[in-house]
Amino acid sequence: MALAKPQTTDMAPAYQPGDVEPAIYQRWLDADVFRPEGAGSQADWSKPPFVITQPPPNITGSLHTGHALTTTVEDLMIRRARMQGFPTLWVPGVDHASISAQVVLDKIIAKDGETRNSLGRERYLERMWLFINETREQIGNQHRRLGASVDWHRLRFTMDEGSARAVRVAFKRLYDEGLAYRGEQLINWCPRDLTSVSDLEVIATPAKGTLWSVRYHLVDANGQPLPDETITVATTRPETILGDTAVAVHPGDARYAGLVGRMVWVPFVDRIVPIIADEVVRQDFGTGAVKITPAHDQDDFETGKRHSLPLIDVMTDDGHINEHGAAFAGLALDAARTRILDELRERGDLVGEQPHDMILGRCERSGDVIEPRLKVQWFVRTKPMAAKAMAAVNEGRTTFVQAHHRKVFFDWMENIHDWNVSRQLWWGHRIPAWYCPEGHITVSDSLEGPGACDVCAKPRAELRQEEDIFDTWFSSGLWPWSTLGWPDSTPDMEKYYPTTVMETGYDILFFWVARMMMLGETLTGREPFKYVYLHGIVRDPQGQKMSKSKGNVLDPLGVINELGADALRFALLHGPEPSQDQKMSRPRLEDARNFANKIWNAARFVLSVRPAEIPSDFRLGLVDTDQLGPADHWMLERCAATLGAVESAYANFEFGEVARLLYDAIWNDFCDWYVELAKIGLSDASASAPRKRAIWSTLTWVLDRYLRLLHPLMPMLTEEIWGKFPHRASDPELLMVAPWPLASDTAVAADARLAEGATAVIELISGIRAARAQSGIEPGDILPAQVWLAHGPPSDAYGRMTDAFGRLARVQPALVDERAALADGLAVVTATGQARLTRSEADLQRERARLAKEFGNLQTQYDATHARLNDANFRSRAPEAVVEQANNRLVELGVQMDALKSRLKGS
RNA sequence: GGGCGGUUAGCUCAGCUGGUCAGAGCGCCUCGUUUACACCGAGGAUGUCGGGGGUUCGAAUCCCUCACCGCCCACCA
């Protein structure tokens, strides 16, 4: 019963992703199938467009696993939607990343001995463009390697004029509506990067500090400090004494009740400031009295406002004491602190110091301590915008796929502070505000700027543009609509806005997602996207976050080169849900590669067994359907069940489940069972040609369905294989735009009765295999076996699967009608059937010998353990746990030996 | 100080609205030259489902509580 000689195929014996993937991507580009209006698009414009909002990667970055995951998930969603016929749009882009780009460029120019300041703003920006133009292609090319089906025609760089105009118009609109304002506020200053940063970029870091107690002297009527009348305050930042404008106590604090209203002398700066009473002071902390430095502390700033205290900034931009610092001017902050402490100590006014655990704000980027400083900057009034964004969620216009993020989102939105959008950097969108000599502000959205001052009509020549640029997230926050032509009402805006799914990592929920929602609602009056899907973090095998400094990064391009992009994509999906954090490891990647190879070979097999009379330009379909047997119906039924399960997983955004379902269906159902069953049918000399055609058409039909279902996950592999298979007349050239399988799209509905029968047969085969292996029966031996199957469908199917049954279970089966008719023998029992195997005398001998040998091994161990336990030395000197372990082992061995004995007898 | 996620076989993870839910893959062990695939096939062993309470006829699955791991938010000198 040899298999018919396989036909040759042009498929390599092992899948070579390196040969396939780039070529396939090029085919897609050539066919123009990425853009919805493309020549190869099969979009059904009667359907609503499906649009992805993605985070544009930084211009300076190279592909990391986070990009790989985000791209994989987005590509998965959009490919499925595309196959479903929706017009699909995925706009790719690059973010100018102002601060990161500057850090990178600063390093580069440092090699030429230049600095930002030595070049000056204009030359620095020229240099930046040079750099950007060299690198902007890189990240895009890397996304191509991943197979991202983005619309390259709409590629957007956030420094393009399209974005620039959107930024200007957005800002002017906010300004006109009172949602953007210029004001003097306490901002977060990074003395290293020399710019303010938003609250989100300040990382609360635990630190070991010191709490010092400092004596302040009250003054007499003439303003002279009194040597003996003092009030002691507690501070962790003595250097800010130079900016003190009050001392505060709690209004209810009896200790200080008499002092409120008196004046104290601030050392070093010779300033007389009041003792005030304020509720914020905690009586039980420190001394119950606190110095107030409104220009350098958020609490103090608020207190200062309540009491109309002066604000005195004592710092320079680069972290030194400024001219307000009297004798300390010019000193670095820490040096100033040391000297101030020394001098206080000398005067006897440093009366206490104790270690103090505190939280320090550090710059996300430079790690330097963030200094709260008073600055005039531009702010976005977020409260009213946040209300709109929350309304979108409450009204169900925007849905968080993972509901728990919703709570986090609301918590942040409800407690939101105004957004400082000014950055004292050069690379980015310059704030389009102009100031006239009178101090009037003119905000303009035109490329040329304003013609004159809005207020006093001073000519343009006298206006001065704001030096600051916008926080990068201000332009990224306009992404979904600014990429579609906003503020114009373009056809793209009409068609593709609001977008469908916003997909990104949960780590930028506040930075980006929340801001898009606020800005989108405010500027476009619509929710920018219907769904928010947030993915987790890809970690190293130990669960550590990957980082270049730790050296534990997984280079996606390396993986792609070695194992293929499809393998990388599948590995990222085949594990925990992408919404969870996941650990990526070599075995997971290899497993995905193996899966790719498995499909490749299954396809190779199917192609190689095409019956000669089926023409190579065969149109896909189930032929000779009356010839379909139980196994074929079983396969069709399994395939339909998988489709149903995949659909419901997609409906719940459970992409990990999709991967699992397809992996199991293809590997187990299709390869392990159906292909094996089909081999037998195809090689059966007595089977008719129509029967063989029916089997082969089922193989191709099912494989076609699985390739379609798998395409969003492993696009290049599936495209390549699909191209080698028969298609339907109605199918396009490319799988990428071929129709998504429908439950109703079955040439013949699977016969549930026959499928059920086949299941019973398959289960019995498994049972027999297990029994054989356990009983040590030679794999090559074909044993006589009696078979009984429960009445009804199972036995019905069996009749048509006898041959397969015999070959796969390696038995010579004989069906009996009654269970009672089963003779003695090695019994196999399943839910729907039974079998009795007659072992040859040789088998019985072999098994006895094997059992005896095993018994001998156990006996040896038993004796050794027994002897050890009888050794008084061992019992008295070994740790209790070890003795107990030995005891347990002895019992366990005894039980195993008993079991063997009874089997020796029984066999 | 709040909040979120996690804790299931050695490892990575499934187990949705309580009753074939104790599973898969890897690893491990046994066997296999049945020509799609050794990046393979057949079979096997391993878990008191983090601890403790509770609800229930019945709980990895619901409630309470504790512990540990990770993360987010937070203006207390």
Side-chain angles (χ1 to χ4, degrees):
Chain A
M1 215 165 18
L3 206 59
K5 195 163 191 171
Q7 299 171 225
T8 51
T9 73
D10 61 344
M11 294 175 77
Y15 176 54
Q16 305 293 343
D19 297 344
V20 169
E21 292 181 348
I24 288 292
Y25 200 86
Q26 192 56 49
R27 277 188 69 192
W28 291 331
L29 287 173
D30 293 345
D32 197 7
V33 282
F34 288 164
R35 60 190 181 113
E37 310 84 356
S41 170
Q42 300 289 121
D44 173 357
W45 288 94
S46 68
K47 292 184 170 180
F50 181 94
V51 187
I52 293 274
T53 289
Q54 65 138 6
N58 284 359
I59 185 95
T60 55
S62 57
L63 201 71
H64 59 244
T65 47
H67 293 130
L69 179 60
T70 209
T71 303
T72 297
V73 170
E74 287 160 20
D75 202 39
L76 163 88
M77 289 191 279
I78 205 151
R79 282 181 185 274
R80 171 166 175 265
R82 191 182 288 115
M83 291 174 76
Q84 287 175 316
F86 296 102
T88 52
L89 179 64
W90 180 8
V91 178
V94 186
D95 192 87
H96 66 279
S98 65
I99 194 162
S100 344
Q102 286 207 9
V103 169
V104 172
L105 184 64
D106 286 354
K107 274 187 204 152
I108 292 172
I109 60 176
K111 286 178 194 151
D112 306 331
E114 299 281 0
T115 67
R116 202 191 307 180
N117 284 318
S118 73
L119 287 177
R121 187 163 190 156
E122 201 173 322
R123 284 181 55 211
Y124 183 80
L125 289 178
E126 282 170 13
R127 187 69 187 74
M128 181 65 89
W129 275 108
L130 229 57
F131 168 63
I132 289 307
N133 288 332
E134 280 168 19
T135 58
R136 67 191 288 180
E137 291 295 316
Q138 263 177 34
I139 196 89
N141 289 335
Q142 293 173 343
H143 277 85
R144 286 167 212 243
R145 295 295 310 279
L146 274 169
S149 58
V150 297
D151 180 355
W152 293 110
H153 294 86
R154 286 179 167 90
L155 178 66
R156 164 62 65 83
F157 178 42
T158 56
M159 283 300 282
D160 290 347
E161 172 53 19
S163 277
R165 185 159 82 105
V167 165
R168 292 192 303 266
V169 172
F171 184 68
K172 178 160 172 54
R173 202 123 3 120
L174 294 178
Y175 178 73
D176 291 345
E177 290 173 23
L179 292 170
Y181 64 93
R182 186 169 186 250
E184 184 173 52
Q185 288 203 20
L186 220 49
I187 50 86
N188 307 300
W189 183 262
C190 175
R192 169 86 63 88
D193 294 335
L194 299 178
T195 180
S196 55
V197 297
S198 75
D199 295 349
L200 285 174
E201 291 154 276
V202 180
I203 308 302
T205 324
K208 298 272 180 212
T210 306
L211 186 64
W212 285 280
S213 298
V214 178
R215 225 158 52 157
Y216 279 39
H217 293 263
L218 279 74
V219 297
D220 63 18
N222 300 322
Q224 291 306 308
L226 298 159
D228 298 326
E229 259 194 291
T230 60
I231 181 167
T232 303
V233 302
T235 182
T236 56
R237 304 201 57 193
E239 65 278 15
T240 63
I241 286 174
L242 304 171
D244 281 355
T245 54
V247 167
V249 297
H250 191 88
D253 195 330
R255 292 173 292 179
Y256 301 116
L259 297 182
V260 175
R262 296 277 304 270
M263 305 297 278
V264 296
W265 178 79
V266 180
F268 313 119
V269 289
D270 209 19
R271 186 182 305 131
I272 310 290
V273 305
I275 297 177
I276 58 172
D278 198 288
E279 301 277 345
V280 295
V281 182
R282 254 180 50 189
Q283 291 177 237
D284 58 352
F285 186 88
T287 61
V290 60
K291 59 193 256 346
I292 301 295
T293 320
H296 293 288
D297 181 279
Q298 188 62 45
D299 277 337
D300 293 2
F301 180 74
E302 299 298 329
T303 309
K305 269 206 284 199
R306 284 194 292 275
H307 297 267
S308 309
L309 299 173
L311 302 129
I312 300 171
D313 184 347
V314 300
M315 286 173 207
T316 63
D317 285 353
D318 60 353
H320 289 68
I321 299 295
N322 69 12
E323 71 279 9
H324 294 128
F328 303 96
L331 286 181
L333 293 178
D334 50 348
R337 173 183 295 186
T338 310
R339 285 223 1 225
I340 285 173
L341 287 169
D342 285 346
E343 293 196 19
L344 285 172
R345 203 173 284 122
E346 264 170 50
R347 295 168 189 217
D349 285 332
L350 185 64
V351 295
E353 80 185 75
Q354 61 183 87
H356 181 61
D357 289 326
M358 48 196 258
I359 303 289
L360 268 185
R362 286 186 177 275
C363 176
E364 183 192 42
R365 197 153 300 275
S366 72
D368 276 31
V369 175
I370 289 290
E371 299 292 345
R373 293 185 70 203
L374 206 57
K375 286 265 182 188
V376 177
Q377 309 237 316
W378 282 94
F379 294 86
V380 169
R381 206 182 299 282
T382 43
K383 285 259 184 237
M385 296 167 67
K388 291 183 181 179
M390 286 189 278
V393 176
N394 282 326
E395 290 161 16
R397 289 183 285 120
T398 296
T399 303
F400 282 87
V401 170
Q402 294 89 206
H404 63 264
H405 287 305
R406 187 189 151 117
K407 277 181 82 168
V408 178
F409 168 80
F410 273 99
D411 184 57
W412 192 71
M413 283 295 194
E414 280 159 6
N415 300 301
I416 199 163
H417 299 296
D418 282 356
W419 175 16
N420 176 201
V421 292
S422 296
R423 293 294 178 275
Q424 291 66 50
L425 301 166
W426 292 344
W427 173 238
H429 296 289
R430 193 157 164 183
I431 295 175
W434 281 259
Y435 311 117
C436 82
E438 309 298 318
H440 302 139
I441 297 172
T442 303
V443 170
S444 166
D445 58 13
S446 82
L447 183 58
E448 302 78 26
C453 173
D454 273 355
V455 181
C456 64
K458 281 255 174 9
R460 168 61 187 271
E462 292 185 39
L463 306 185
R464 184 178 50 83
Q465 191 181 174
E466 171 65 59
E467 295 287 326
D468 289 353
I469 61 163
F470 282 108
D471 180 357
T472 308
W473 295 105
F474 187 79
S475 47
S476 327
L478 310 173
W479 182 264
W481 55 94
S482 69
T483 50
L484 296 175
W486 186 91
D488 298 333
S489 24
T490 60
D492 275 0
M493 271 303 278
E494 285 290 313
K495 269 186 279 188
Y496 303 121
Y497 190 82
T499 69
T500 315
V501 182
M502 196 296 314
E503 198 283 339
T504 192
Y506 63 68
D507 50 336
I508 57 171
L509 173 60
F510 305 140
F511 277 105
W512 191 52
V513 183
R515 282 157 178 176
M516 279 191 289
M517 291 171 71
M518 292 192 289
L519 290 165
E521 285 288 331
T522 304
L523 296 169
T524 71
R526 299 291 309 266
E527 68 284 355
F529 27 76
K530 312 251 179 243
Y531 292 97
V532 174
Y533 181 96
L534 297 171
H535 67 247
I537 293 168
V538 184
R539 298 168 177 280
D540 79 359
Q542 277 68 246
Q544 305 261 40
K545 218 166 169 171
M546 292 182 185
S547 78
K548 278 185 196 150
S549 53
K550 280 190 216 154
N552 62 346
V553 293
L554 176 76
D555 170 28
L557 289 175
V559 175
I560 290 172
N561 288 333
E562 191 197 346
L563 305 174
D566 285 325
L568 173 60
R569 292 168 61 120
F570 194 81
L572 286 164
L573 295 167
H574 187 58
E577 282 300 327
S579 56
Q580 298 283 133
D581 286 3
Q582 59 173 302
K583 296 174 192 169
M584 184 45 67
S585 60
R586 183 76 196 177
R588 280 184 63 192
L589 292 163
E590 285 179 0
D591 183 45
R593 185 270 316 259
N594 294 352
F595 182 49
N597 188 241
K598 186 73 180 174
I599 300 163
W600 180 262
N601 276 290
R604 228 160 54 92
F605 167 77
V606 175
L607 279 184
S608 74
V609 293
R610 175 168 56 86
E613 75 272 20
I614 295 186
S616 56
D617 60 351
F618 169 73
R619 289 297 179 189
L620 182 71
L622 292 173
V623 298
D624 302 323
T625 51
D626 53 327
Q627 292 290 331
L628 295 175
D632 311 311
H633 282 286
W634 175 85
M635 185 66 252
L636 291 171
E637 191 273 326
R638 293 300 311 145
C639 186
T642 298
L643 172 62
V646 164
E647 289 293 65
S648 74
Y650 267 117
N652 296 317
F653 291 83
E654 289 169 348
F655 307 134
E657 178 70 2
V658 170
R660 257 172 262 126
L661 285 165
L662 293 174
Y663 182 92
D664 292 347
I666 292 172
W667 206 309
N668 300 334
D669 297 345
F670 188 71
C671 293
D672 288 348
W673 283 108
Y674 188 64
V675 165
E676 294 307 317
L677 290 164
K679 277 180 189 172
I680 290 159
L682 291 171
S683 64
D684 181 354
S686 66
S688 67
R691 167 80 189 120
K692 289 183 180 179
R693 280 199 297 272
I695 294 172
W696 193 77
S697 68
T698 308
L699 278 169
T700 50
W701 196 88
V702 170
L703 184 60
D704 171 86
R705 278 211 145 184
Y706 284 149
L707 288 173
R708 287 174 205 247
L709 291 174
L710 190 62
H711 180 261
L713 291 78
M714 306 183 95
M716 289 158 297
L717 169 77
T718 50
E719 184 75 78
E720 175 73 7
I721 295 174
W722 196 76
K724 299 178 181 301
F725 271 82
H727 300 158
R728 298 189 179 131
S730 57
D731 278 330
E733 286 284 303
L734 292 168
L735 172 59
M736 186 180 154
V737 285
W740 186 251
L742 299 173
S744 56
D745 176 33
T746 317
V748 58
D751 182 323
R753 204 180 49 92
L754 283 175
E756 193 188 323
T759 302
V761 171
I762 284 170
E763 280 173 2
L764 198 53
I765 292 169
S766 287
I768 292 173
R769 282 172 171 176
R772 292 177 58 117
Q774 276 171 346
S775 306
I777 292 170
E778 282 291 302
D781 286 355
I782 294 182
L783 306 183
Q786 287 188 313
V787 175
W788 170 84
L789 285 151
H791 287 299
S795 52
D796 215 32
Y798 171 83
R800 297 165 69 179
M801 292 177 76
T802 313
D803 194 17
F805 184 90
R807 284 188 49 179
L808 295 179
R810 304 199 71 72
V811 291
Q812 271 181 320
L815 193 66
V816 302
D817 290 335
E818 297 293 330
R819 186 162 45 185
L822 288 166
D824 285 343
L826 183 62
V828 176
V829 180
T830 71
T832 43
Q834 294 199 16
R836 295 287 184 275
L837 307 196
T838 309
R839 278 169 294 180
S840 64
E841 189 50 38
D843 265 329
L844 288 170
Q845 297 284 11
R846 256 196 300 274
E847 191 184 3
R848 272 194 211 102
R850 191 180 65 84
L851 291 178
K853 192 175 158 199
E854 205 172 304
F855 189 86
N857 285 341
L858 290 174
Q859 184 74 57
T860 311
Q861 288 183 54
Y862 185 92
D863 291 347
T865 310
H866 189 70
R868 204 147 56 111
L869 282 167
N870 278 343
D871 180 350
N873 235 345
F874 173 74
R875 296 201 74 109
S876 59
R877 306 180 72 157
E880 228 177 280
V882 174
V883 178
E884 195 185 319
Q885 213 174 15
N887 262 320
N888 293 341
R889 178 75 184 137
L890 194 70
V891 173
E892 192 189 313
L893 286 166
V895 171
Q896 286 181 20
M897 288 162 73
D898 285 347
L900 270 187
K901 256 187 257 175
S902 63
R903 277 182 66 190
L904 269 164
K905 250 186 256 159
S907 62

